[in-house]
Amino acid sequence: MSKIGLFFGTQTGKTESIAEMIRDEFGASEIDLHDMSQVDASDFDGYTKLIIASPTWDIGELQSDWDGFFPELDSMDFKGKTIAYFGTGDQLGYSDNFMDAVGILEAKITARGGKTVGYWSTDGYDFSESKAVRNGKFVGLAIDEDNQSDLTDERVKAWVAQIKKEFA
């Protein structure tokens, strides 16, 4: 398997911690972590497999580093790239836009040619609406450290096992 580029934005450190868990579950040598606060478009070059990660911030918005980078996605080509997504959020406090940031990023990157893998069941979550739901599933792993931190390890392990197969 070729190296995977994991690009994450983080505000409180939760998304970065989950990114590190995912890297460790894959095997540290398999994944390069990229903090969106220090990234430019050329950092995506050379990867055919990507993991895109963002918390949903405020009321359904992109995290600030992703928000600043978002216009650059319009000039990027994701054809030939396979992309998995994960996000962090609060399904109870922000039930009307749980995981929206991941949905926003996935829609843009798919429109630019990216192939999404890593769809995740909405079972076990309690939310009203999400821009990250397509055909009844999240476009990627949904993590709620505020309300379901006891499920994070299990979810990360299951999702990494799933995307290892889908990336193969």
Side-chain angles (χ1 to χ4, degrees), residues 51-64:
I51 299 173
I52 302 293
S54 179
T56 298
W57 201 247
D58 201 16
I59 301 174
E61 296 178 19
L62 290 171
Q63 180 270 342
S64 61

Side-chain angles (χ1 to χ4, degrees), residues 7 16 24 47 52 71 76 81 102 109-110 121-125 132 146 148-149 154 168:
F7 293 81
E16 181 174 14
D24 294 346
Y47 295 107
I52 302 293
M76 295 173 66
K81 294 185 187 294
V102 170
I109 291 169
T110 297
S121 176
T122 59
D123 293 346
Y125 297 90
D146 295 325
Q148 294 181 327
S149 61
E154 172 188 333

Side-chain angles (χ1 to χ4, degrees), residues 16-109:
E16 181 174 14
S17 293
I18 303 302
E20 291 168 352
M21 286 177 66
I22 288 169
R23 177 201 58 205
D24 294 346
E25 187 66 26
F26 256 99
S29 64
E30 301 294 319
I31 290 184
D32 294 328
L33 292 180
H34 298 274
D35 185 330
M36 288 306 296
S37 68
Q38 302 167 7
V39 163
D40 65 50
S42 67
D43 292 323
F44 288 80
D45 297 344
Y47 295 107
T48 57
K49 297 173 180 84
L50 301 168
I51 299 173
I52 302 293
S54 179
T56 298
W57 201 247
D58 201 16
I59 301 174
E61 296 178 19
L62 290 171
Q63 180 270 342
S64 61
D65 299 316
W66 272 114
D67 190 49
F69 189 83
F70 194 73
E72 291 191 51
L73 293 174
D74 287 328
S75 63
M76 295 173 66
D77 184 2
F78 288 93
K79 289 183 189 105
K81 294 185 187 294
T82 304
I83 300 125
Y85 298 84
F86 81 85
T88 55
D90 176 349
Q91 65 191 302
L92 301 181
Y94 297 92
S95 180
D96 291 338
N97 47 48
F98 182 57
M99 294 291 130
D100 276 4
V102 170
I104 293 165
L105 290 167
E106 189 272 344
K108 173 69 78 177
I109 291 169

Side-chain angles (χ1 to χ4, degrees), residues 113-130:
K115 177 188 172 200
T116 301
V117 297
Y119 289 90
W120 188 252
S121 176
T122 59
D123 293 346
Y125 297 90
D126 184 16
F127 66 98
S128 300
E129 292 182 46
S130 177

